[in-house]
C-alpha cells in the first residue's frame, strides 16, 4: 500500500513523481497518456474523486475517442 503524505507539499511532490514514473513506463511500451488521463489520475491521487468515478470518467473518455 502506498504511503500517505503528511503535508500538502510532500503530497504534491509524491504525486508528481508517481505520475511521471507511470507515464515513462507507459511511454516505453510505445503508448502515451492523454491530458484527460493525467488530470483524472491526479484527481484520484488527491482523493478529489473516487476510484469508481475515475473508472467511469476514463471509460466515457475512451468511448468518446473511439478506443
Amino acid at each position: 500500500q502506498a504511503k500517505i503524505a503528511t503535508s500538502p507539499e510532500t503530497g504534491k511532490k509524491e504525486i508528481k513523481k508517481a505520475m511521471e514514473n507511470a507515464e515513462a513506463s507507459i511511454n516505453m511500451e510505445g503508448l502515451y497518456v492523454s491530458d484527460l488521463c493525467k488530470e483524472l489520475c491526479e484527481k484520484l491521487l488527491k482523493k478529489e474523486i473516487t476510484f469508481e468515478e475515475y473508472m467511469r470518467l476514463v471509460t466515457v473518455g475512451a468511448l468518446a475517442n473511439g478506443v
Side-chain angles (χ1 to χ4, degrees), residues 1-61:
Q1 179 145 344
K3 289 176 21 179
I4 303 298
T6 56
S7 75
E9 192 57 38
T10 301
K12 288 178 187 177
K13 290 178 185 176
E14 289 176 351
I15 288 171
K16 183 177 179 181
K17 184 176 180 180
M19 290 181 61
E20 287 172 351
N21 288 340
E23 185 173 7
S25 178
I26 289 169
N27 290 343
M28 288 180 6
E29 297 295 328
L31 304 170
Y32 77 99
V33 181
S34 71
D35 290 338
L36 174 63
C37 255
K38 291 177 192 177
E39 179 184 335
L40 294 176
C41 280
E42 188 171 346
K43 286 183 177 192
L44 176 65
L45 292 170
K46 289 180 177 179
K47 299 185 180 191
E48 295 174 2
I49 60 174
T50 66
F51 182 72
E52 290 77 16
E53 289 171 311
Y54 169 82
M55 290 302 296
R56 181 180 57 78
L57 292 167
V58 168
T59 302
V60 168

